[in-house]
Amino acid sequence: MQQPLLNKTFSEKNHEEVLSLNDGLMAKIHNSNDPHYCSSEPFRVSSYALILITKGKLNIKINFENYVLNQRDILLVLPHSVYEIADNSSVSFISIHFNKSYLKNKGIFFNSGETYRMSKDVQSHKFSLSKEEYTFIYYDMLALHKKLHVSKDTPQIKNIVHNSFLELLYDIFLLKNKQKDPKPFVHNSRTELTNRFLALVSDNFKKEKRVIYYANCLRITPRHLSQVVKQVTDRTAGEIIDEMVIREAKLLLTSHVMNISEVAIELCFSNSSFFGKYFKKQTGVTPSEYKMSNNIAV
């Protein structure tokens, strides 16, 4: 009985269904005159999105940390991160959403290791545009939005839309590359192994929290796995597993849909007591303390 409500609360299922119906790519315009356009509840989606603030400012939590996006700021929303918009009544923005399937079908690949590194540093996927840059990107996004609403029967419309999307994506990459990156991401065997590990953890962290499980899947020793992953992400394999579990636990506790025992079951802990000890060790507070201070009424 809980799961349909849970999916609705997180906005994930409906979002992914709509995205799928639109071939994995869609655009939305949020107007401050309609403050209910976005959910105020925590949400997590498995797709990417580009958000450009066109007016006002957006107070947003990313993985339970507070950030402020101002006019002319652009943010790359990463898959599987947890987002919560605290107040959207005085902001307008345009967003482009695209999933991994769309990218893969078009021959575009985002590196999992780089995506994880970006998720640890919001500044690496959020930046401000000058007036000239803002105008440039804003009209790119508006053009894509307009083309996405052209009849699907229009000849060559899929190719037209895709080319418009690529133009937007590459324009943003060009602007982002103007900024110095103190840690350029190097693609080699270590990053490839880390990518495979991150993909495995993303799919299995609820049931499997042991480093040895992932090491066995990758046919290497746990020590070697942790050493390689730490070189690429600055976190050990165990730390990454714990991060994903705790992020999910916080989302479930905040949702006000499940009680603590149900959260423990959802995350495959043997009992709520064991889950409570694990959660307090990782966060410094008990699940009930976290739930009380972060509840969102539905």
Side-chain angles (χ1 to χ4, degrees):
M1 294 294 293
Q2 295 288 353
Q3 195 61 34
L5 181 56
L6 183 64
N7 282 334
K8 182 178 179 181
T9 300
F10 294 165
S11 305
E12 182 173 12
K13 184 177 180 181
N14 292 341
H15 177 88
E16 292 304 313
E17 286 178 349
V18 173
L19 194 57
S20 178
L21 290 173
N22 286 276
D23 299 323
L25 176 66
M26 64 181 181
K28 295 180 179 180
I29 295 178
H30 169 86
N31 193 302
S32 57
N33 294 328
D34 183 12
H36 301 296
Y37 188 88
C38 292
S39 171
S40 61
E41 299 174 359
F43 62 94
R44 178 196 56 227
V45 292
S46 59
S47 58
Y48 292 89
L50 289 164
I51 295 176
L52 178 66
I53 306 300
T54 57
K55 180 182 177 182
K57 67 178 182 179
L58 181 66
N59 296 301
I60 187 171
K61 284 186 178 181
I62 304 175
N63 293 330
F64 304 97
E65 296 290 333
N66 291 306
Y67 299 95
V68 177
L69 301 178
N70 296 302
Q71 186 177 14
R72 300 204 309 267
D73 281 353
I74 191 165
L75 173 72
L76 171 62
V77 173
L78 300 171
H80 307 301
S81 293
V82 178
Y83 296 86
E84 180 184 340
I85 296 174
D87 177 18
N88 63 355
S89 60
S90 61
V91 65
S92 297
F93 59 86
I94 183 169
S95 59
I96 308 296
H97 306 259
F98 49 100
N99 61 24
K100 293 180 181 179
S101 296
Y102 180 83
L103 296 177
K104 184 177 180 180
N105 291 338
K106 300 300 182 180
I108 306 169
F109 298 93
F110 279 9
N111 186 289
S112 298
E114 173 69 347
T115 298
Y116 175 81
R117 200 187 88 185
M118 290 170 68
S119 72
K120 303 306 296 177
D121 177 16
V122 170
Q123 298 307 317
S124 68
H125 56 107
K126 164 192 168 295
F127 61 105
S128 299
L129 302 174
S130 68
K131 289 184 179 180
E132 182 180 2
E133 292 168 342
Y134 167 79
T135 301
F136 196 52
I137 297 300
Y138 176 67
Y139 283 107
D140 273 355
M141 295 178 90
L142 277 184
L144 178 56
H145 180 271
K146 183 176 180 180
K147 290 167 187 173
L148 280 167
H149 288 81
V150 172
S151 171
K152 292 184 179 181
D153 296 330
T154 304
Q156 298 297 320
I157 188 60
K158 285 189 177 182
N159 289 332
I160 293 170
V161 166
H162 178 56
N163 288 336
S164 184
F165 171 74
L166 283 182
E167 182 178 1
L168 168 65
L169 203 61
Y170 290 139
D171 283 346
I172 291 173
F173 285 162
L174 285 172
L175 293 176
K176 183 69 177 83
N177 284 338
K178 289 182 179 179
Q179 301 183 3
K180 284 188 176 181
D181 187 353
K183 294 182 180 180
F185 200 76
V186 179
H187 298 271
N188 52 34
S189 59
R190 292 193 298 274
T191 63
E192 176 59 29
L193 177 62
T194 301
N195 290 339
R196 292 166 61 196
F197 166 71
L198 290 170
L200 281 171
V201 177
S202 180
D203 290 338
N204 298 284
F205 71 89
K206 288 184 181 181
K207 293 183 178 180
E208 289 292 345
K209 302 172 180 62
R210 301 168 302 154
V211 174
I212 192 172
Y213 169 83
Y214 298 99
N216 288 340
C217 289
L218 297 167
R219 298 182 180 180
I220 58 176
T221 66
R223 181 180 179 183
H224 180 58
L225 175 60
S226 281
Q227 287 176 339
V228 170
V229 170
K230 188 173 179 62
Q231 288 173 349
V232 176
T233 67
D234 294 327
R235 298 286 193 281
T236 66
E239 288 171 340
I240 287 177
I241 296 167
D242 288 338
E243 284 176 9
M244 291 195 181
V245 173
I246 290 299
R247 182 184 301 174
E248 186 77 4
K250 286 181 175 179
L251 183 59
L252 296 172
L253 291 168
T254 304
S255 72
H256 199 52
V257 172
M258 289 183 170
N259 61 38
I260 293 172
S261 295
E262 289 170 330
V263 172
I265 293 172
E266 175 70 14
L267 296 176
C268 300
F269 284 90
S270 56
N271 55 62
S272 57
S273 176
F274 184 42
F275 166 64
K277 291 177 182 177
Y278 173 87
F279 189 88
K280 185 170 184 178
K281 179 180 178 181
Q282 298 295 326
T283 66
V285 296
T286 66
S288 58
E289 289 170 339
Y290 183 85
K291 190 174 179 66
M292 286 180 65
S293 61
N294 290 276
N295 267 349
I296 295 178
V298 292

